[in-house]
Amino acid sequence: MSAKRMNLREKYQRMTRDLAWKPSYQSEDDIFPQAKYEGIIIHDWDKWEDPFRLTVDAYWKYQAEKERKLYAIIEAFAQNNAQLNVTDARYINSLKLFLTGVTPLEYAAHRGFAMSGRNFPGAGPQVSSQFQSIDELRHAQTQIHTISQYNKYFNGFHDWRHMHDRVWYLSVPKSFFDDAMSAGPFEFVTAISFSFEYVLTNLLFMPFMSGAAYNDDMATVTFGFSAQSDESRHMTLGLEVIKFMLEQDERNVPIVQKWIDKWFWRGYRLLALVSMMMDYMLPKRVMSWQEAWEMYFEENGGALFEDLARYGIRMPKYWEVSVKEKNRLSHEVWSIFYNYGHAAAIHTWLPDENEMAWLSEKYPETFDKYYRPRFDHWRKHHQEHGRWYNNTLPMLCQTCQIPMAFTEPDDPTQICYRSSEYKGMQYHFCSDGCKDIFDDEPEKFVQAWLPVHQIYQGNCGGASVPEVLEWYHLKHGQDNLEYLDSQDRANWLRWKGLTEQAEAVLQKAANE
Amino acid sequence: MSNNVFLALQNNEEARPLIEAIEQDNAEAIVRHFPAMVKIDCPGRLVVKRETVEALIGRDWDPQEIHVNLISLSGNVEEDDDSFALVRNR
Amino acid sequence: MAVKATWDYRGEPKDTEDKFHGNQLVYVGWDQHLMFCAPHCVPLPPDMPFGALVKEVLPGMYDSHPDWSQIDWDRVEWLVDSKPFQPDMDKGLRDQGIGHKSVIRFRTPGLDGIAGAAS
């Protein structure tokens, strides 16, 4: 006789919860030493509900199918030299930013979820964390594999792992994840699964991958959506973790709210890099940062937090600042990269006339008034005196580590300065959000490895830009500087049959 | 404020019958096409029914197969052997 | 506790003054001139006279801006660590209260950046 087929619920019970056991000769507290110190109180781990009820057999089946689909496309992409079909070589710089800034975070997430899976006492979150840990490793691998095709044709992809640990703006994503991983398991999943993946990740992957599709980069679309299909499960884990903590004990509510406040702000600051990618780095734009923020945060995030209101959870602190900043964020951030493009692992450029018109249309209240004059001036400077760079290092925010370029919530003409004193030393911040995070855990953030300060301490290869670039493993004149005068552009023109223009670019670059 | 849930699927052959099934079973669903992606918003609740999908594709379909073409979602997930649903708890 | 940890954890501050080879860090910002995307950070000798900062350090930072040559230095308004400040050009930085990681801001009334748009 054949055994009755188990339904989804039974199968999930058998293959997750039933695999766990009660320890007999060691105490639970010794086995799970990080389970209680964050102050989260859990009465019954069996109350954990995994809405997806995914078991390991189904997991491998679906993941294998995703991989097969992805690799078929990656191979076709390479065989067809499809890197030549993207809209414009400027687009490639968003992939450089992705590989150096985001892919190492996927790997960090792989480690982080392995640790949270180890540290949660309940079988439900152990299994979910384990799947996610494997997912994240897959994401890192598929991204490296897909983007390796571009490394054969464009500069700046050669040593992304090394750069992630050293290059000034990459300390922003790196320190974000280090902060999460050095917290306890509950804060880690609140930070990554809920605040980042559930509330904010749509703003990374959806515009990025739609942007890749718009710019004819099918390989990136495919790895992106393949990774994103796991993300739905991760987002659901994030929401489940929050609901579980809130339902277990009302004393958990203020702790969870504090984490939501912190990690919303940290994630939002990290996404500033995505805002400039959307508005400045895609030759064909999908939607503006402002539109994306309205669609994915204000609308969907708003609905989510209304859902959570019955547990006593409110919108993250300073969310209204993010709304005030939405029509200036990308312009302020692109200005940072234009200022310091001589020390970056990407090329930078000014938007052309059509792109400026798009920016005026998308940002009617701010672009023409505040940013167009700056770009016009820079363009004139480039034509008459050569490319303008800022030759003094910037002041950084102690928490998010981004140069202090953000303006007062109610005044786009005034840099926002905030500071705190701790044990006799001053610390500076770009915003109230970043200041609050420091003030809550100063012993953590006094240790921030701020790239500018590290250069002045003499820890980054030397005091001059070329020495620091060498320490970053960046080749001056090849991986950095203005796009218009770059080898990437010259090669692109040559591949498009525009040999004379290519020679002119190289000639100009040699003279500068 | 919006009460919408949403589901985003890859814009490919496998997702097309899913989108059709969603349109059949969710009168208020709004389907929007983006490059390589389809985003479906629906007030309050959105459901993908196994029976409807199976009728469209002419073979057995397990609601967990949705993972292969899923890009993103918003809302509380309710999954069993016969359907995959997203709901707002209000 | 000033950090959530499983023991009485204390962080080691990374940027104490002794690590900067006899210098102190000073931050400088020119208000309403956001062509320079953020304030600057420089290591300076604590006994550097304020006048030397103005004559020798600031031009290297800012003289590429069209407003720079038009500054009337008698009308410049200074802020140190968010408070109005009257610099003594001959006195050293430290001796007039500008310490490690102090912020010096200056405003140039009438000069509001490129096209008057704070750039």
Side-chain angles (χ1 to χ4, degrees):
Chain A
M1 66 169 251
S2 63
K4 180 179 157 283
R5 210 176 148 207
M6 283 186 284
N7 72 24
L8 195 57
R9 192 180 288 270
E10 287 164 351
K11 197 167 115 183
Y12 176 74
Q13 183 68 31
R14 289 285 178 82
M15 294 187 69
T16 58
R17 309 303 168 86
D18 290 2
L19 297 176
W21 69 92
K22 278 264 168 247
S24 55
Y25 58 91
Q26 289 284 345
S27 76
E28 288 240 3
D29 286 350
D30 286 342
I31 297 172
F32 301 110
Q34 293 187 21
K36 290 180 179 162
Y37 85 93
E38 296 172 274
I40 294 293
I41 299 158
I42 303 298
H43 301 286
D44 183 2
W45 279 99
D46 285 337
K47 288 271 165 38
W48 174 279
E49 281 275 341
D50 191 343
F52 275 134
R53 301 204 179 90
L54 193 65
T55 53
V56 77
D57 56 332
Y59 177 77
W60 291 124
K61 181 178 143 194
Y62 293 122
Q63 296 305 96
E65 199 172 328
K66 290 177 190 177
E67 289 282 274
R68 272 195 300 274
K69 286 182 148 194
L70 173 63
Y71 277 91
I73 292 176
I74 293 177
E75 278 168 22
F77 187 86
Q79 284 160 1
N80 288 309
N81 275 327
Q83 74 283 347
L84 297 175
N85 297 339
V86 301
T87 45
D88 182 47
R90 287 180 304 165
Y91 163 77
I92 308 296
N93 291 285
S94 61
L95 292 178
K96 297 177 193 177
L97 190 61
F98 194 93
L99 184 67
T100 54
V102 180
T103 301
L105 298 192
E106 304 272 17
Y107 190 77
H110 155 64
R111 296 176 57 214
F113 280 97
M115 291 194 273
S116 71
R118 168 63 186 81
N119 281 303
F120 280 130
Q126 285 170 1
V127 171
S128 299
S129 292
Q130 197 180 337
F131 287 153
Q132 181 156 355
S133 179
I134 301 167
D135 290 341
E136 304 289 2
L137 184 60
R138 179 176 93 87
H139 299 177
Q141 289 172 339
T142 52
Q143 288 163 18
I144 296 160
H145 198 144
T146 311
I147 296 176
S148 69
Q149 173 74 2
Y150 287 98
N151 181 45
K152 298 173 191 162
Y153 298 92
F154 297 92
N155 293 321
F157 288 106
H158 53 283
D159 213 350
W160 50 276
R161 179 55 258 176
H162 177 93
M163 291 179 208
H164 185 71
D165 288 338
R166 297 191 177 196
V167 177
W168 56 277
Y169 56 91
L170 298 175
S171 83
V172 176
K174 181 182 167 69
S175 62
F176 170 91
F177 231 94
D178 284 353
D179 184 0
M181 280 214 280
S182 52
F186 287 104
E187 184 179 344
F188 176 78
V189 291
T190 306
I192 304 305
S193 303
F194 180 76
S195 299
F196 197 69
E197 302 202 281
Y198 198 94
V199 184
L200 298 173
T201 198
N202 278 327
L203 282 136
L204 173 63
F205 274 90
M206 310 272 264
F208 204 101
M209 297 315 145
S210 290
Y214 248 46
N215 290 281
D216 301 321
D217 176 6
M218 283 324 289
T220 298
V221 176
T222 312
F223 86 63
F225 283 162
S226 187
Q228 191 67 19
S229 66
D230 299 339
E231 218 70 24
S232 306
R233 186 154 29 75
H234 303 170
M235 293 160 74
T236 307
L237 170 66
L239 186 56
E240 181 50 36
V241 167
I242 293 287
K243 289 196 292 192
F244 178 65
M245 288 190 282
L246 297 172
E247 280 168 6
Q248 281 289 307
D249 198 297
E250 66 181 358
R251 283 168 290 178
N252 294 340
V253 176
I255 303 175
V256 171
Q257 181 72 57
K258 189 174 87 175
W259 288 338
I260 290 175
D261 292 346
K262 171 183 173 180
W263 288 99
F264 163 75
W265 190 257
R266 293 225 61 186
Y268 166 65
R269 274 290 180 252
L270 179 60
L271 288 179
L273 293 169
V274 179
S275 75
M276 77 162 183
M277 191 277 294
M278 292 180 69
D279 286 344
Y280 286 91
M281 298 177 73
L282 298 179
K284 274 171 90 174
R285 276 101 163 131
V286 181
M287 58 168 75
S288 68
W289 165 258
Q290 173 167 344
E291 289 165 330
W293 192 245
E294 287 164 357
M295 179 188 294
Y296 291 114
F297 178 71
E298 292 181 53
E299 190 180 317
N300 281 296
L304 162 71
F305 281 100
E306 265 189 46
D307 252 17
L308 293 174
R310 67 198 174 113
Y311 297 106
I313 291 292
R314 51 160 174 75
M315 286 281 272
K317 203 172 172 186
Y318 304 123
W319 72 271
E320 67 281 2
V321 175
S322 75
V323 173
K324 286 178 181 176
E325 288 183 350
K326 69 187 175 188
N327 59 12
R328 44 186 139 121
L329 190 71
S330 64
H331 319 299
E332 291 175 349
V333 178
W334 188 240
S335 288
I336 299 174
F337 279 79
Y338 193 84
N339 268 241
Y340 297 105
H342 49 330
I346 58 170
H347 295 301
T348 49
W349 58 86
L350 291 172
D352 66 24
E353 271 315 313
N354 286 333
E355 289 163 340
M356 300 257 272
W358 183 87
L359 289 162
S360 297
E361 186 202 319
K362 293 293 179 185
Y363 295 100
E365 288 160 13
T366 53
F367 186 76
D368 287 350
K369 191 168 171 193
Y370 301 115
Y371 310 110
R372 184 184 281 272
R374 188 182 306 176
F375 292 159
D376 285 342
H377 175 78
W378 280 336
R379 194 183 321 275
K380 195 160 163 266
H381 195 284
H382 190 182
Q383 284 159 358
E384 292 171 8
H385 314 286
R387 172 66 154 78
W388 181 83
Y389 293 104
N390 190 332
N391 52 26
T392 312
L393 301 182
M395 176 182 187
L396 306 179
C397 171
Q398 184 79 20
T399 303
C400 71
Q401 310 199 1
I402 300 174
M404 296 256 304
F406 302 112
T407 45
E408 284 286 350
D410 294 307
D411 183 1
T413 70
Q414 176 57 53
I415 295 284
C416 185
Y417 290 90
R418 299 290 182 271
S419 64
S420 292
E421 196 176 315
Y422 184 70
K423 291 188 175 171
M425 194 148 81
Q426 282 203 78
Y427 296 90
H428 302 280
F429 313 99
C430 69
S431 55
D432 291 312
C434 280
K435 175 179 157 60
D436 283 6
I437 292 165
F438 176 93
D439 288 345
D440 190 54
E441 289 190 290
E443 291 290 338
K444 190 171 200 177
F445 293 96
V446 295
Q447 309 170 66
W449 191 93
L450 297 180
V452 170
H453 296 178
Q454 288 300 312
I455 290 170
Y456 287 142
Q457 286 183 28
N459 298 333
C460 305
S464 71
V465 171
E467 286 169 311
V468 174
L469 288 178
E470 198 180 326
W471 188 76
Y472 287 170
H473 288 191
L474 284 178
K475 202 157 173 201
H476 183 62
Q478 192 168 295
D479 300 320
N480 59 347
L481 304 179
E482 164 70 41
Y483 172 75
L484 287 178
D485 310 328
S486 69
Q487 206 179 66
D488 266 9
R489 178 166 176 249
N491 286 335
W492 183 256
L493 292 168
R494 212 180 282 137
W495 295 329
K496 296 285 165 187
L498 303 165
T499 317
E500 275 176 36
Q501 286 184 38
E503 292 310 319
V505 169
L506 292 176
Q507 197 59 44
K508 184 155 184 286
N511 292 338
E512 279 207 3
Chain B
M1 202 175 264
S2 156
N3 184 38
N4 279 355
V5 295
F6 83 73
L7 193 65
L9 295 166
Q10 294 190 43
N11 190 3
N12 60 20
E13 278 306 318
E14 284 176 11
R16 240 157 265 161
L18 302 183
I19 296 160
E20 210 177 319
I22 290 167
E23 285 181 307
Q24 279 184 29
D25 293 328
N26 304 270
E28 292 181 280
I30 296 161
V31 179
R32 279 186 289 176
H33 288 261
F34 292 87
M37 173 181 101
V38 178
K39 182 169 180 266
I40 308 158
D41 291 84
C42 196
R45 179 180 164 88
L46 183 151
V47 65
V48 190
K49 291 184 183 163
R50 182 175 60 82
E51 211 182 342
T52 317
V53 176
E54 287 182 347
L56 286 165
I57 62 178
R59 65 164 174 86
D60 287 350
W61 184 76
D62 181 336
Q64 289 198 326
E65 287 182 45
I66 203 166
H67 284 289
V68 177
N69 297 298
L70 191 59
I71 293 172
S72 185
L73 54 78
S74 177
N76 297 280
V77 174
E78 285 177 4
E79 192 193 40
D80 61 27
D81 292 289
D82 295 317
S83 68
F84 175 94
L86 293 168
V87 295
R88 291 267 171 237
N89 289 325
R90 254 171 288 151
Chain C
M1 195 162 36
V3 64
K4 210 70 180 161
T6 49
W7 75 97
D8 184 23
Y9 183 88
R10 290 284 173 265
E12 188 72 38
K14 268 259 185 313
D15 297 318
T16 48
E17 194 177 342
D18 58 299
K19 298 190 174 73
F20 292 90
H21 316 288
N23 292 318
Q24 60 177 30
L25 290 183
V26 175
Y27 304 106
V28 184
W30 184 5
D31 278 4
Q32 315 292 310
H33 288 76
L34 303 184
M35 175 174 110
F36 305 97
C37 62
H40 292 121
C41 173
V42 277
L44 298 176
D47 58 1
M48 173 183 263
F50 200 95
L53 168 78
V54 173
K55 288 202 172 64
E56 289 155 30
V57 179
L58 297 192
M61 289 182 187
Y62 295 119
D63 69 2
S64 62
H65 197 288
D67 281 352
W68 176 259
S69 58
Q70 300 172 53
I71 296 176
D72 175 355
W73 288 96
D74 294 331
R75 291 183 59 213
V76 168
E77 297 165 7
W78 299 91
L79 290 168
V80 169
D81 297 329
S82 308
K83 292 185 196 75
F85 183 79
Q86 281 296 340
D88 180 334
M89 292 295 166
D90 301 322
K91 250 165 97 177
L93 299 174
R94 167 80 37 99
D95 289 345
Q96 47 193 318
I98 299 166
H100 181 51
K101 297 177 79 183
S102 277
V103 182
I104 302 173
R105 284 165 59 185
F106 63 107
R107 291 177 182 163
T108 50
L111 298 174
D112 299 321
I114 293 153
S119 266

